[in-house]
Amino acid sequence: MRIAVCPGSFDPVTLGHVDIIRRAAELFDKVIVVVMPNFSKSPLFSREERMDMIRRVTADIPNVEIDTFDGLLADYTREKNAVAVVKGLRAMSDFEYEFQMALTNRHLNSDLETVFLTTKAEHMYISSSLVKQVAALDGDVSSLIPAAILPEVVKKIREEVAR
Ligand code: PNS
């Protein structure tokens, strides 16, 4: 069985993430979406909220599992016998950081491949950070966030701004 891991902070999961997870699930036998800490960001949604939202928006994809892990991605993939890490690549701005992470992960686990899927053009500009900013300022994020989680995402972001 060829297992791939889709790691991220998913704060919150966007339509761009769901597209990458769905396409990875076509390429691999099993895809594990793993919620991990990103030391340069402090999340708005709790880990449980993030996992629950991912679970709901990927419920129709049979070969997807949701997990969370606090250690190194390179150790996690080894533990799960995963053959690849799958990431979505948007414009040039993602490249340097993603390239650096891919090489670091390869340094830590020489068997590990990182596979980049090019984002769909309509998702090119979506990021969780921008979603939070737009929703906080009462902008429309309905084309950026899966419909099933949209009300709770907007509510939490607005509550946070009001505090
Ligand atoms: O969605 P993000 O915030 O861009 O995801 C980044 C993430 C969580 C994948 C990255 O920070 C990560 O891999 N964290 C786990 C800890 C780790 O292995 N760090 C070294 C990777 S270079």
Side-chain angles (χ1 to χ4, degrees):
M1 180 183 302
R2 298 184 80 75
I3 301 173
V5 168
C6 280
S9 43
F10 303 106
D11 187 49
V13 64
T14 65
L15 284 173
H17 292 131
V18 177
D19 174 54
I20 297 296
I21 295 166
R22 200 175 289 285
R23 286 159 57 198
E26 298 275 337
L27 296 172
F28 294 91
D29 298 312
K30 181 161 101 177
V31 171
I32 310 176
V33 182
V34 58
V35 177
M36 303 189 88
N38 178 339
F39 290 118
S40 41
K41 301 177 184 167
S42 48
L44 171 63
F45 294 88
S46 73
R47 194 180 295 227
E48 289 66 33
E49 285 172 324
R50 287 179 278 157
M51 290 176 74
D52 178 61
M53 289 191 282
I54 301 167
R55 198 171 284 120
R56 282 154 50 212
V57 300
T58 60
D60 65 317
I61 319 172
N63 54 334
V64 168
E65 277 178 22
I66 319 301
D67 198 6
T68 184
F69 189 69
D70 271 326
L72 284 172
L73 179 60
D75 290 338
Y76 181 79
T77 51
R78 200 183 279 117
E79 193 181 291
K80 295 290 173 183
N81 282 321
V83 293
V85 166
V86 176
K87 304 274 314 275
L89 205 57
R90 289 166 302 192
M92 290 308 291
S93 53
D94 275 345
F95 183 75
E96 203 169 305
Y97 176 55
E98 292 295 344
F99 194 68
Q100 209 175 12
M101 283 201 286
L103 291 184
T104 307
N105 286 326
R106 159 84 57 70
H107 166 76
L108 296 168
N109 176 355
S110 57
D111 297 329
L112 187 59
E113 292 291 353
T114 299
V115 174
F116 292 110
L117 299 183
T118 42
T119 181
K120 282 189 181 164
E122 67 261 39
H123 298 148
M124 192 81 180
Y125 61 94
I126 305 183
S127 75
S128 299
S129 319
L130 279 185
V131 164
K132 283 180 278 193
Q133 213 177 106
V134 173
L137 300 169
D138 285 336
D140 178 14
V141 290
S142 60
S143 58
L144 314 178
I145 293 287
I149 61 166
L150 184 65
E152 68 209 82
V153 166
V154 170
K155 183 168 178 273
K156 174 116 181 183
I157 293 169
R158 297 212 174 131
E159 274 169 9
E160 203 58 31
V161 175
R163 270 156 48 111

